[in-house]
Amino acid sequence: MNNKIVLAFLLSSAVLVGCNSTPNIRTAIDKTVAISGQSLILGGSYNEDSEELTLTINGDPLIRSQFPPFTPKLTLKTKYKGLDIISQCYFGSVLSSEGGMFGKIAGAIQASKASSGDKCEMLINNKSVETLYF
């Protein structure tokens, strides 16, 4: 009987912990651009827990990807309504969040180069139109 009570307690505790944890998501401020007579709202979010980046146009999730291990740069390409969309992203937090000595060294190097920010430069038809900061 005691084993069943302990098991029930552990299961309910696990469920409560899972329900209580909220993902750490950083959202870029939307930027509006006009290209070829079209108004586009560029935006995105970065889930720190899964290291997944989602970029949106007009609220539609258009590009979704994760950063490879120990790699702060990510280039993503897609098409949207006949436009070539490229994002060139640099996320310094990817390296500094690794923890341990590597994370400390990476953070120090990035700070010395003033490149510790998390951002995506958005290019449309090979022309830089805006930068999203996360």
Side-chain angles (χ1 to χ4, degrees), residues 54-112:
T54 302
L55 298 176
T56 62
I57 295 183
N58 295 337
D60 297 326
L62 208 56
I63 304 172
R64 182 172 287 148
S65 186
Q66 290 181 307
F67 285 86
F70 305 106
T71 306
K73 293 182 180 181
L74 187 62
T75 300
L76 302 168
K77 299 177 183 181
T78 192
K79 288 194 174 283
Y80 181 80
K81 294 186 178 181
L83 302 171
D84 292 321
I85 311 294
I86 299 173
S87 65
Q88 296 176 333
C89 302
Y90 182 87
F91 274 57
S93 65
V94 169
L95 291 178
S96 59
S97 68
E98 292 298 327
M101 187 57 73
F102 179 82
K104 290 177 185 176
I105 292 170
I109 291 170
Q110 292 175 69
S112 70

Side-chain angles (χ1 to χ4, degrees), residues 32-42 80-85 122-130:
T32 303
V33 296
I35 304 291
S36 303
Q38 299 181 54
S39 181
L40 305 175
I41 301 171
L42 308 175
Y80 181 80
K81 294 186 178 181
L83 302 171
D84 292 321
I85 311 294
M122 302 299 293
L123 294 93
I124 299 179
N125 292 338
N126 293 317
K127 179 183 174 193
S128 178
V129 295
E130 193 59 76

Side-chain angles (χ1 to χ4, degrees), residues 12 22 24 26 31-32 55 59 69 97 111 116 118 125 128 130 134:
S12 63
T22 56
N24 294 321
R26 289 186 278 146
K31 305 283 179 93
T32 303
L55 298 176
S97 68
S116 59
D118 295 341
N125 292 338
S128 178
E130 193 59 76
F134 294 80

